[in-house]
Amino acid sequence: MTGPVRYEVEDGIAWLTIDRPEARNALSKAVRDGLWDGIRAFNDDDTAKVLILTATGERAFCAGGDLKEMAETSLQVPPPDFLPQFGRNIDVPKPTIAAVNGVAFAGGFLLAQQCDLVVAAAHASFAVSEVKVGRGSPWAAPLSWLVPPRLAMEILLTGDPIDAERACDLGLVNHVVDAADLRDHARNLARRIAANAPLSVLASKRTAYLSAQFPIEQAYEKAEEIWEPVYMSADAQEGPAAFREKRTPEWKGR
C-alpha cells in the first residue's frame, strides 16, 4: 500500500500506519480509503495474527476528521462507510491494538476506542471533541460500556481532552509508556498474543464482547457455542501434550 496509509507485516504482526503528519494525521478521504484497504488486507492475510494501528510523528495519532475537507464538501451526515468501524460496518475477528502516539481527538478517539487494546505514549491525549465544532459522535455509543456512565457523559458533553494517565485510570488505555518505547511495547504485546493458540485467541475476543450484546444468561449460552469447536480442535490436544512433553506447542489453527 502506498499513499497516506501504510500496511506492513513483520513476523505475523500487521502495522497499519496513518502517514499524514503535516495535517496531524486527519481523516481525509485518502486516509479513510487507506484505512479501509488496510483493514481488508489484514482480514484477508492469514500470515497476520494481530494488527497494530498507529500513526507517523509524535504530535498526533489522529486529530479527527479533516475539517477543511468537510467544509469544502459541505458534509452533513457521514455515510455508513465513511470510516471503518470495527464490529459495526466491518467485522475484524483478529485482535487489534491502537498504539497512540499523540492526540486522539474525535475520529482519532473513534479509531482508538474500537481497537481491542490501547497502548499510549505518555504525552498522548484523548477527546470526543465534536461538541466543540458542532459535529456528531454517534460512534461513541459504546463509550458508556468502556467507562462508567457519568465519566462517559463528561467526556461527551465537555469535549475536553484527558491525558494518557487519566485515560488509563478510566480503563480506556491498557498501558502508558514513554514515547520512545511505544512501538516496541505494542509489538511485544502483539507478539504475546500471536504466540497463543489462534482458535482460542479468536474465541477469547468474541467472548469479551458478549456482555455488551446480550443479557448474562444468553451471553453464557453464546460463549458455550463459541468455545465448543475450540475444545474439539487439534490444538486443544496439542496444548496439554506440549505441556506434558515440556516443549513449545505447534499450533495448527484447527
Side-chain angles (χ1 to χ4, degrees):
M1 288 175 55
T2 58
V5 178
R6 301 194 308 273
Y7 177 82
E8 305 158 293
V9 180
E10 304 172 357
D11 299 325
I13 308 303
W15 291 85
L16 188 60
T17 306
I18 304 173
D19 188 13
R20 198 186 176 212
E22 73 283 358
R24 299 208 301 169
N25 296 310
L27 295 167
S28 65
K29 185 178 187 305
V31 171
R32 300 194 310 272
D33 288 347
L35 290 171
W36 274 111
D37 290 342
I39 294 302
R40 289 174 177 137
F42 174 61
N43 277 348
D44 294 339
D45 190 346
D46 291 337
T47 70
K49 306 303 182 185
V50 182
L51 175 79
I52 300 174
L53 175 61
T54 192
T56 300
E58 294 188 357
R59 291 181 60 210
F61 171 70
C62 175
D66 188 323
L67 295 180
K68 292 181 181 179
E69 186 179 87
M70 288 182 182
E72 290 169 359
T73 60
S74 300
L75 179 68
Q76 294 182 318
V77 181
D81 62 351
F82 185 73
L83 183 70
Q85 295 185 47
F86 307 167
R88 185 181 185 192
N89 59 15
I90 186 168
D91 184 33
V92 185
K94 294 180 285 188
T96 58
I97 301 171
V100 180
N101 54 297
V103 299
F105 291 172
F109 192 111
L110 180 162
L111 292 176
Q113 172 188 271
Q114 69 182 1
C115 287
D116 303 311
L117 302 173
V118 180
V119 179
H123 70 280
S125 57
F126 300 79
V128 182
S129 53
E130 278 81 351
V131 292
K132 293 186 180 294
V133 292
R135 300 297 298 177
S137 54
W139 52 264
L143 187 58
S144 58
W145 177 76
L146 294 168
V147 301
R150 290 191 186 279
L151 293 172
M153 193 72 76
E154 180 181 346
I155 290 169
L156 292 169
L157 293 180
T158 66
D160 292 341
I162 57 175
D163 63 30
E165 288 292 349
R166 185 170 187 227
C168 190
D169 290 342
L170 295 177
L172 287 169
V173 169
N174 295 87
H175 305 279
V176 177
V177 299
D178 290 339
D181 298 328
L182 180 66
R183 285 183 65 89
D184 284 344
H185 193 94
R187 182 187 291 110
N188 290 336
L189 182 59
R191 283 175 174 168
R192 298 204 306 274
I193 295 169
N196 291 327
L199 296 180
S200 294
V201 168
L202 296 179
S204 292
K205 172 169 174 169
R206 291 180 64 191
T207 301
Y209 289 105
L210 289 176
S211 63
Q213 301 170 315
F214 303 101
I216 189 62
E217 190 59 38
Q218 193 175 358
Y220 276 125
E221 293 172 359
K222 294 289 184 181
E224 294 288 353
E225 295 173 9
I226 289 169
W227 284 96
E228 182 175 354
V230 179
Y231 285 128
M232 301 297 290
S233 70
D235 281 354
Q237 301 302 316
E238 167 64 7
F243 178 82
R244 182 188 61 208
E245 296 164 13
K246 299 181 179 179
R247 60 176 174 82
T248 301
E250 296 181 9
W251 307 122
K252 304 298 184 184
R254 58 178 188 271

